């Protein structure tokens, strides 16, 4: 395999990435405490890019509630732009609960829940961005080099088409099919199609899609495979010295790929060769491997500085191992997690907040 450069460099000249999709508040039931962080694939990818020097603009619908406050506060601390995050009284901000269980082999794995722990009803769910939101983006001065989407809607497709017409690199990372017409439009629009084998690997038509220039199929702990110019290549996963949590691994891989290839937009395909593509994917896999040593989809952003992460990547590149850092970045903050999370419980009894330490990563 080609030599891979895992040097962590900030994005030059702060390129812009716009993203449309899932932004939520993640409540993680960790080993020692519960904590809350901004999450959702779109939220994570854009937060990681902002941390790596990009100007990130998520397009999402948020309410005027506790969860939205957590998300906005954390995004602001990272440098994520909030211009296109709605502030709607009638909307509840999505909430996801992450728990840990042991599988049959005794391995610690994460599980996501969308059910209220009090009443069993649904927690606030994803609400698609509106066409009005999309218009606000397209009529702004924002000029993205990259566009990321993980959930589909007329607004997301409008933004993807606008971004592509303006030379942006378009990435589509679906977790399900949903509306088949919208799904096919998204596949036809994107330059890079990325999905997990567990969720969509059974879709043969997806594996053979002709419009995307690059198709990435992730294979969990087995790594991933990528199609470039009609030929598939396999990339094994990095071995991490201490596995804690696999949540967010795919988001780090996507962000790393965008960070390496997206700074010049779709122009990258004018000169892109297979070694550079594989190197970009390996960089993303390396970021994912380091993050797996910490709880939370972006735990490494709290556990170490960018300089410390750069050293960890260098160790991975040289196949050396290092002990995990216990240092926590100053971006950590306190937040209260309400005892009543869904609308039904909140209306039955306005529970007093219970103090929990919240980690923004």
């Amino acid at each position: 395999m080609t030599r891979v450069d895992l040097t962590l460099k900030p994005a030059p000249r702060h390129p812009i990435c716009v993203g449309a999709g899932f932004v939520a508040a993640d409540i993680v039931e960790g080993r020692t405490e519960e904590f809350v962080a901004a999450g959702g694939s779109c939220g994570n990818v854009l937060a990681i890019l902002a941390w790596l020097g990009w100007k990130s603009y998520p397009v999402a619908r948020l309410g005027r509630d506790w969860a939205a406050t957590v998300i906005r506060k954390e995004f602001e601390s990272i440098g994520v732009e909030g211009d296109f995050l709605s502030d709607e009284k009638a909307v509840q901000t999505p909430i996801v609960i992450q728990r840990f269980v042991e599988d049959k082999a005794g391995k610690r794995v994460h599980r996501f829940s969308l059910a209220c722990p009090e009443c069993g009803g649904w927690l606030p769910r994803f609400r698609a961005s509106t066409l009005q939101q999309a218009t606000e983006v397209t009529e702004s001065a924002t000029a993205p080099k990259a566009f990321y989407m993980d959930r589909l809607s007329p607004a997301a497709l409008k933004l993807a088409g606008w971004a592509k017409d303006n030379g942006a690199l378009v990435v589509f990372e679906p977790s399900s099919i949903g509306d088949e017409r919208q799904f096919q439009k998204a596949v036809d629009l994107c330059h890079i199609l990325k999905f997990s084998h567990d969720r969509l690997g059974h879709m043969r038509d997806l594996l053979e899609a002709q419009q995307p220039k690059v198709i990435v199929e992730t294979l969990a702990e087995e790594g991933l495979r990528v199609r470039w110019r009609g030929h598939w290549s396999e990339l094994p996963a990095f071995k991490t010295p201490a596995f804690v949590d696999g949540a967010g691994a795919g988001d780090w891989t996507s962000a790393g790929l965008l960070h390496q290839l997206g700074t010049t937009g779709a122009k990258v395909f004018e000169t892109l060769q297979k070694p550079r593509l594989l190197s970009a994917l390996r960089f993303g896999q390396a970021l994912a491997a380091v993050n797996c040593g910490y709880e939370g989809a972006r735990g490494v952003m709290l556990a170490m500085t960018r300089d410390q992460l750069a050293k960890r990547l260098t160790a991975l590149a040289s196949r050396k191992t290092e002990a995990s850092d216990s240092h926590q970045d100053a971006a950590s903050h306190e937040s209260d997690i309400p005892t009543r999370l869904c609308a039904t419980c909140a209306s039955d009894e306005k529970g007093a907040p219970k103090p929990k330490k919240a980690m923004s990563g």
Side-chain angles (χ1 to χ4, degrees), residues 12 163 179 232-233 249 256 274 333:
D179 185 294
W232 288 91
S233 301
K274 184 177 179 179
H333 60 272

Side-chain angles (χ1 to χ4, degrees), residues 154-171:
L157 290 172
K158 177 179 178 178
L159 287 169
W162 160 78
K164 187 174 185 178
D165 289 344
N166 284 277
L169 175 65
V170 177
V171 177

Side-chain angles (χ1 to χ4, degrees), residues 18 24 30 32 46 48 73 105 121 125 171 183 203 217 223 251 276 286 291 304 352:
V18 173
T32 60
L46 268 67
I48 294 166
K73 182 178 179 181
R125 308 292 294 274
V171 177
F183 189 88
M203 299 293 296
E217 182 183 17
D251 301 332
R276 184 182 174 193
N291 191 70
M304 60 179 70

Side-chain angles (χ1 to χ4, degrees), residues 35-90:
F35 61 88
V36 60
S41 288
C42 182
N44 286 329
V45 170
L46 268 67
I48 294 166
L49 287 175
W51 196 62
L52 294 176
W54 288 64
K55 291 195 70 175
S56 296
Y57 291 85
V59 184
R61 298 179 71 183
L62 303 183
R64 297 177 184 175
D65 49 26
W66 161 84
T69 299
V70 168
I71 292 169
R72 290 181 184 279
K73 182 178 179 181
E74 184 175 350
F75 277 177
E76 183 178 359
S77 71
I78 298 168
V80 177
E81 308 292 337
D83 302 45
F84 306 123
L85 295 172
S86 74
D87 177 21
E88 304 177 52
K89 186 176 181 180

Side-chain angles (χ1 to χ4, degrees), residues 31-357:
R31 282 175 169 165
T32 60
E33 61 186 355
E34 288 183 347
F35 61 88
V36 60
S41 288
C42 182
N44 286 329
V45 170
L46 268 67
I48 294 166
L49 287 175
W51 196 62
L52 294 176
W54 288 64
K55 291 195 70 175
S56 296
Y57 291 85
V59 184
R61 298 179 71 183
L62 303 183
R64 297 177 184 175
D65 49 26
W66 161 84
T69 299
V70 168
I71 292 169
R72 290 181 184 279
K73 182 178 179 181
E74 184 175 350
F75 277 177
E76 183 178 359
S77 71
I78 298 168
V80 177
E81 308 292 337
D83 302 45
F84 306 123
L85 295 172
S86 74
D87 177 21
E88 304 177 52
K89 186 176 181 180
V91 169
Q92 287 186 290
T93 304
I95 297 174
V96 177
I97 297 177
Q98 179 188 335
R99 298 187 173 98
F100 294 95
V101 299
E102 286 190 359
D103 63 14
K104 294 180 180 179
K107 181 181 178 181
R108 187 174 188 253
V109 296
H110 64 274
R111 293 286 185 266
F112 294 114
S113 173
L114 301 177
C116 174
E118 292 292 325
C119 70
W122 290 116
L123 291 170
R125 308 292 294 274
F126 167 76
R127 298 280 295 275
S129 300
T130 65
L131 286 171
Q132 177 58 38
Q133 278 182 289
T135 299
E136 291 173 3
V137 180
T138 60
E139 292 182 352
S140 71
T142 308
K145 292 296 184 182
F147 178 80
Y148 175 92
M149 60 181 171
D150 64 346
R151 298 290 180 94
L152 294 180
S153 66
L157 290 172
K158 177 179 178 178
L159 287 169
W162 160 78
K164 187 174 185 178
D165 289 344
N166 284 277
L169 175 65
V170 177
V171 177
F172 176 36
E173 186 165 9
S175 58
S176 61
I177 300 293
D179 185 294
E180 291 186 3
R181 290 185 179 181
Q182 289 187 356
F183 189 88
Q184 188 58 55
K185 287 181 180 179
V187 171
D188 291 343
L189 274 171
C190 72
H191 297 103
I192 299 177
L193 173 65
K194 178 175 176 284
F195 57 89
S196 73
H197 175 80
D198 287 345
R199 290 181 177 269
L200 295 174
H202 63 285
M203 299 293 296
R204 186 171 181 84
D205 289 347
L206 202 58
L207 296 169
E208 298 175 353
Q210 296 303 305
Q211 294 303 316
K213 293 183 178 296
V214 177
I215 297 180
V216 179
E217 182 183 17
T218 58
L219 308 169
E221 65 272 10
E222 299 300 319
L224 59 80
R225 64 186 195 131
V226 54
R227 193 192 76 185
W228 169 248
R229 294 181 176 174
H231 300 284
W232 288 91
S233 301
E234 295 186 0
L235 295 177
F238 281 95
K239 301 298 182 183
T240 182
F243 180 88
V244 175
D245 183 6
D251 301 332
W252 280 94
T253 302
S254 297
L257 178 62
L258 274 169
H259 183 61
Q260 294 281 21
L261 297 185
T263 57
T264 59
K267 287 183 178 180
V268 67
F269 292 108
E270 295 175 2
T271 57
L272 183 64
Q273 298 295 322
K274 184 177 179 179
R276 184 182 174 193
L277 171 62
L278 297 184
S279 179
L281 283 166
R282 290 300 277 165
F283 178 76
Q285 286 181 296
L287 292 175
V290 176
N291 191 70
C292 285
Y294 304 91
E295 287 184 335
R298 290 180 292 101
V300 74
M301 289 171 59
L302 181 68
M304 60 179 70
T305 66
R306 280 175 289 273
D307 287 343
Q308 290 171 325
L309 176 57
K311 292 179 181 178
R312 186 66 58 83
L313 292 175
T314 299
L316 272 181
S318 60
R319 298 184 179 180
K320 295 178 181 179
T321 59
E322 293 183 359
S324 296
D325 294 307
S326 59
H327 167 75
Q328 289 189 350
D329 192 272
S332 63
H333 60 272
E334 298 290 334
S335 181
D336 294 332
I337 301 176
T339 57
R340 308 286 179 168
L341 295 174
C342 75
T344 301
C345 289
S347 62
D348 287 344
E349 177 185 342
K350 292 188 178 295
K354 60 178 180 179
K356 294 288 182 181
K357 187 170 183 178

